[in-house]
Amino acid sequence: MEGKYKVHWSKESKNQVDLICAFIKEKWNEKEVNDFLDLLLHFERTISAFPKAFKPSPKRKQYRLGLIHKHTTAVYIIKKKTILIVTVFDNRTHDMFR
């Protein structure tokens, strides 16, 4: 085990999570929002313990692409013992890092 890394969420990633949560709440319900937030927490714990668990972006090697859900990916960078989550995006509409 590599040890615990500190995870930071950028302003952009927090904004994207808020937008996704609002969309989920509008289309479904609060339970689905909570399920999504649980997936985010699980993702954060995973990369904190295993920062290289997800593959590097083919287009931008310094970034890693972490699958949170089949429709949602987080983009993050590893710097020393810190992980910065740069953004979160919907896989159905975005291919900037793939």
Side-chain angles (χ1 to χ4, degrees), residues 32-74:
E32 300 300 327
V33 172
N34 290 331
D35 289 348
F36 177 70
L37 294 174
D38 286 345
L39 289 173
L40 287 178
L41 183 59
H42 177 74
F43 171 74
E44 185 175 317
R45 288 179 179 156
T46 299
I47 63 171
S48 175
F50 307 101
K52 295 181 181 176
F54 296 97
K55 66 181 179 177
S57 166
K59 289 185 178 178
R60 300 178 183 185
K61 299 290 185 198
Q62 72 271 31
Y63 295 99
R64 290 188 173 266
L65 305 175
L67 187 67
I68 296 170
H69 177 272
K70 68 181 179 179
H71 298 304
T72 311
T73 295

Side-chain angles (χ1 to χ4, degrees), residues 53-92:
F54 296 97
K55 66 181 179 177
S57 166
K59 289 185 178 178
R60 300 178 183 185
K61 299 290 185 198
Q62 72 271 31
Y63 295 99
R64 290 188 173 266
L65 305 175
L67 187 67
I68 296 170
H69 177 272
K70 68 181 179 179
H71 298 304
T72 311
T73 295
V75 179
Y76 66 96
I77 300 172
I78 305 167
K79 293 185 177 185
K80 298 183 182 178
K81 293 295 268 184
T82 302
I83 295 168
L84 173 64
I85 300 175
V86 177
T87 193
V88 177
F89 64 86
D90 187 316
N91 296 325
R92 297 166 292 184

